Amino acid sequence: MSSPSLPGGTWTLGDLTVSRFGYGAMQLAGPGVMGPPADRDAALAVLREVRDLGITHIDTAGAYGPRFTNRLIREALHPYPEALHIATKVGADRDRQGGWPPAREPEDLRRAVHENLEDLGLEALDLVDLRLGDAQGPRPGSLAAPLGTLVELRRQGLIRHLGVSNATAEQIAEARAITPIVCVQNMYNLAYRQDDELIDELAEEGIAYVPFFPLGGFSPLQSSALSTVAGRLGASPMSVALAWLLQRSPNILLIPGTSSAAHLHENVAGAALRLSPDDLAELDKIGRR
């Protein structure tokens, strides 16, 4: 299993080599990321297409469903190809209203790690991101206590690598003072550029940056400049947005999600677009206004 035809090449997370073009599994759950998928066979098919395309980085979370998405991944892909690596998140739960309440007490984190292991059919998790903040974004405050719980689980051999998600720059610095981290997963896209300086700093340190909502999430990206560049290239705006991310910095790993195999192929093709210096300069203005 390799990824020579995928855009962006590869990146190393600790001792794990992954394709920079990855796959985010959130959309495989039902509406509102709750319950089973509307089309279970299609969900399994898109996961198998991810594998067949040579994508070696799948991003998931036990809170997706909850637990439905991880069980689908196991059903579709287990036993996993040696080159395939699965990243998951802990630190948030689901309530009956579809909310994402924090779950960062030691017992919450231990339960979440063991549920991920069970549902994915693994003896150790390749990468666990500690999700901080809340559904509205990062929130200030120390992460020492919850991260310490995950460090202990890593010492027990249940986790190979750690990262942080939905974190402030101060929390990332605190995390790095406590233990090595291999990635940061925050919201970032053409129109949402708060982490520009952080991305460059992490690149210098060899730490991956994984933007969630790379296409805007529940409010898809809309920009006249984006549409102009896309029209000039004969491509969709979303394709241009993905291509821009891959060319923004070598440490950016993409995890666009979809529940459609056809859309997965569109995302791969779109991310492979080569943007000219003029295209990049025009796009660069979008999130800096």
Side-chain angles (χ1 to χ4, degrees), residues 15-254:
D15 61 349
L16 310 176
T17 298
V18 298
S19 55
R20 285 185 64 211
F21 188 97
Y23 173 73
M26 186 174 74
Q27 292 188 31
L28 293 182
V33 202
M34 292 289 284
D39 188 334
R40 185 172 167 279
D41 289 341
L44 295 172
V46 76
L47 284 165
R48 290 171 180 142
E49 193 65 17
V50 164
R51 173 199 62 199
D52 293 346
L53 283 170
I55 292 170
T56 58
H57 176 206
I58 293 178
D59 179 84
T60 186
Y64 298 165
R67 304 186 70 172
F68 280 102
T69 294
N70 281 354
R71 291 168 178 169
L72 285 168
I73 291 171
R74 178 177 184 173
E75 181 177 350
L77 301 177
H78 194 278
Y80 303 110
E82 185 177 353
L84 178 65
H85 301 295
I86 299 173
T88 190
K89 290 175 289 298
V90 297
D93 216 335
R94 305 304 303 278
D95 58 30
R96 292 184 178 180
Q97 292 72 43
W100 302 78
R104 294 190 283 270
E105 294 300 317
E107 58 270 23
D108 296 325
L109 297 171
R110 286 192 286 265
R111 172 182 54 80
V113 165
H114 283 282
E115 286 179 353
N116 273 275
L117 290 167
E118 177 184 348
D119 293 342
L120 291 168
L122 292 168
E123 294 183 357
L125 299 170
D126 283 333
L127 169 59
V128 174
D129 289 319
L130 172 62
R131 181 171 174 82
L132 300 164
D134 56 30
Q136 281 68 52
R139 294 289 181 264
S142 174
L143 51 60
L147 187 60
T149 299
L150 296 183
V151 169
E152 178 56 35
L153 291 169
R154 185 178 61 189
R155 289 196 189 105
Q156 295 172 18
L158 301 181
I159 298 170
R160 295 177 67 180
H161 299 288
L162 292 171
V164 293
S165 175
N166 206 32
T168 66
E170 292 76 17
Q171 289 166 336
I172 294 163
E174 183 185 15
R176 296 185 62 202
I178 295 170
T179 188
I181 63 170
V182 300
C183 75
V184 171
Q185 186 178 122
N186 276 2
M187 182 173 173
Y188 182 82
N189 54 52
L190 258 175
Y192 191 89
R193 303 278 297 276
Q194 278 80 344
D195 279 354
D196 270 334
E197 184 176 342
L198 174 65
I199 289 170
D200 296 335
E201 292 173 357
L202 294 174
E204 291 179 1
E205 299 295 331
I207 297 172
Y209 185 93
V210 185
F212 65 76
F213 291 161
L215 299 177
F218 300 109
S219 300
L221 296 175
Q222 294 185 11
S223 160
S224 58
L226 176 59
S227 297
T228 297
V229 173
R232 190 162 63 231
L233 295 172
S236 73
M238 297 302 99
S239 293
V240 173
L242 289 176
W244 178 84
L245 282 168
L246 272 188
Q247 293 175 59
R248 164 65 181 81
S249 182
N251 66 324
I252 287 183
L253 310 185
L254 294 187

